[in-house]
Amino acid sequence: MADPAKKTVFSGIRPTGPAHLGNFAGAMRNWLALQDKYNCFYSIVTWHALSSEYQNSKVIKGYTYEMALDLLSIGLDPARCVIFVQSEVKEHAELHLLLSMVTPLPWVERVPTFKDMQKEMADKDLNTYGYLGYPVLQTADILLYKGEIVPVGEDQAAHLELAREICRRFNRLIGEVFPEPQMLLTETPRLAGTDGRKMSKSFGNAIYLKDAPETIRAKIATMVTDTRRQRRSDPGEPADCPVFTLHAAFVEKPRREELARGCRTAGIGCLECKGVVIERLLELLGSYWEKRAEFEKKPSRIWEILDEGNRRARRVAEATMEDVRAALGF
Ligand code: SF4
């Protein structure tokens, strides 16, 4: 049962492969922090994954399982939040359709990430009606649960602004159904992958949560650093070092500042500096690996948890759609 004293949070994550450190630092870690403070609806957004993976749709079910396994293994507790699969709650599609009727076309065309994502995923044809409507589907995701708080990084702020505009327009033109969702700006550090580019599954440069400790060691040990540090005695600049993006996300500030000073004065070598973040990650992921090993003994448990989450989400979604249909006069 949802606690009426708590506000409702909605957030979604795309199942496009196992979760990597960038997903953890950017979204999953925030989800953990919010699960006790709010009534949280966390969705594995299969239809959003389909908008870019439609030519490879058969992998999405497996990735949904992987994502649920990752979310539960980092410590999300299905007794304290609702974890569910977007495409198992058909009301998302109905509300998406209805919201698309009231959304002016220029509003979606101006969303900056539309063009950015097309560039980033240049190997995929994202010039589709479905991909253009992605932010409208995101709006439906939030409003379906009467979401009041949406955790977003700065790069997603434009999407939420659009959701708020669509919400206001629906309430004004059709009827007051939805609370206007508020933005909870969260830290979403941009992590570099092993080759120095943004960490991404599609670049093949990601460090995954499920990687074994020796894989994590090996990936970071061979990761590119600031090119100024050709020799141990050459000073470097952490701001130009891909490895240091990991320190920025995972190493405590005093230790991080000490390492930055050591880099700039050539007081420490890259090996030592990398060693600090490796140990920190192994410590951080210890309980994740333990929980994951437990779940892997009984994979059916993951689907049972999702089924229960789908049921809980559906109950709320059905009630909202009754309000929406009444407001429409249907
Ligand atoms: S010392 Fe650390 S921050 Fe400096 S270049 Fe090496 S790995 Fe990067």
Side-chain angles (χ1 to χ4, degrees), residues 61-310:
K61 186 170 179 188
Y63 287 162
T64 299
Y65 172 85
E66 275 285 335
M67 185 52 75
L69 178 56
D70 278 330
L71 291 173
L72 293 164
S73 302
I74 62 159
L76 282 183
D77 179 355
R80 286 142 73 199
C81 62
V82 181
I83 305 170
F84 72 101
V85 180
Q86 181 195 35
S87 51
E88 292 300 315
V89 183
K90 309 299 180 208
E91 286 77 4
H92 285 258
E94 183 181 0
L95 188 56
H96 173 224
L97 175 78
L98 297 175
L99 294 179
S100 72
M101 304 298 174
V102 302
T103 305
L105 192 53
W107 286 12
V108 281
E109 285 174 332
R110 72 169 192 230
V111 173
T113 47
F114 179 59
K115 292 228 155 50
D116 293 350
M117 290 300 278
Q118 279 185 324
K119 264 189 235 148
E120 195 172 303
M121 294 198 264
D123 57 323
K124 302 198 160 74
D125 180 5
L126 299 185
N127 210 13
T128 59
Y129 175 59
Y131 200 74
L132 182 68
Y134 188 112
V136 184
L137 180 56
Q138 272 186 333
T139 307
D141 297 337
I142 300 163
L143 299 188
L144 198 51
Y145 302 94
K146 300 197 174 172
E148 295 161 289
I149 308 273
V150 182
V152 285
E154 265 175 65
D155 56 336
Q156 288 285 311
H159 281 204
L160 189 68
E161 207 34 66
L162 175 64
R164 286 157 53 83
E165 281 181 282
I166 297 173
C167 173
R168 285 196 293 269
R169 190 167 157 92
F170 184 96
N171 283 347
R172 182 164 50 82
L173 296 179
I174 313 284
E176 280 285 333
V177 175
F178 304 114
E180 193 173 316
Q182 304 300 313
M183 187 178 321
L184 178 68
L185 208 55
T186 53
E187 257 187 65
T188 49
R190 226 177 141 79
L191 297 199
T194 48
D195 59 0
R197 291 184 292 171
K198 183 187 167 194
M199 188 178 290
S200 161
K201 285 154 204 152
S202 38
F203 294 155
N205 64 2
I207 300 169
Y208 294 101
L209 303 188
K210 69 173 190 175
D211 280 345
E214 51 281 16
T215 310
I216 292 185
R217 281 184 201 282
K219 283 185 177 177
I220 296 178
T222 53
M223 195 166 164
V224 292
T225 58
D226 177 11
T227 48
R228 292 181 193 92
R229 298 213 71 182
Q230 296 295 327
R231 286 177 298 267
R232 167 71 176 73
S233 54
D234 294 332
E237 175 47 58
D240 297 330
C241 174
V243 179
F244 209 73
T245 62
L246 301 178
H247 291 78
F250 300 112
V251 175
E252 300 295 330
K253 198 170 174 203
R255 184 73 177 116
R256 195 166 75 225
E257 287 177 347
E258 194 186 321
L259 292 169
R261 271 194 304 277
C263 174
R264 292 189 183 107
T265 56
I268 54 160
C270 289
L271 219 60
E272 188 188 335
C273 184
K274 286 177 169 182
V276 172
V277 79
I278 290 171
E279 291 316 312
R280 176 73 190 110
L281 285 171
L282 300 190
E283 182 193 324
L284 200 70
L285 292 171
S287 69
Y288 163 87
W289 288 317
E290 271 173 36
K291 286 202 180 79
R292 186 177 172 105
E294 282 305 308
F295 280 118
E296 280 177 334
K297 285 184 201 154
K298 208 167 174 244
S300 60
R301 181 76 193 115
I302 300 290
W303 293 116
E304 285 162 15
I305 290 171
L306 288 178
D307 283 347
E308 176 55 21
N310 296 338

Side-chain angles (χ1 to χ4, degrees), residues 6-58:
K6 291 180 180 173
K7 290 193 167 177
T8 299
V9 160
F10 177 88
S11 192
I13 196 160
R14 282 157 46 93
T16 51
H20 57 62
L21 289 179
N23 304 128
F24 179 70
M28 297 162 82
R29 190 161 58 171
N30 296 322
W31 286 16
L32 260 185
L34 298 175
Q35 71 174 342
D36 288 320
K37 201 167 168 205
Y38 299 102
N39 293 320
C40 294
F41 288 84
Y42 293 142
S43 182
I44 301 176
V45 286
T46 34
W47 281 329
H48 287 293
L50 191 63
S51 70
S52 60
E53 307 298 319
Y54 56 89
Q55 287 172 312
N56 198 20
S57 65
K58 307 251 178 339

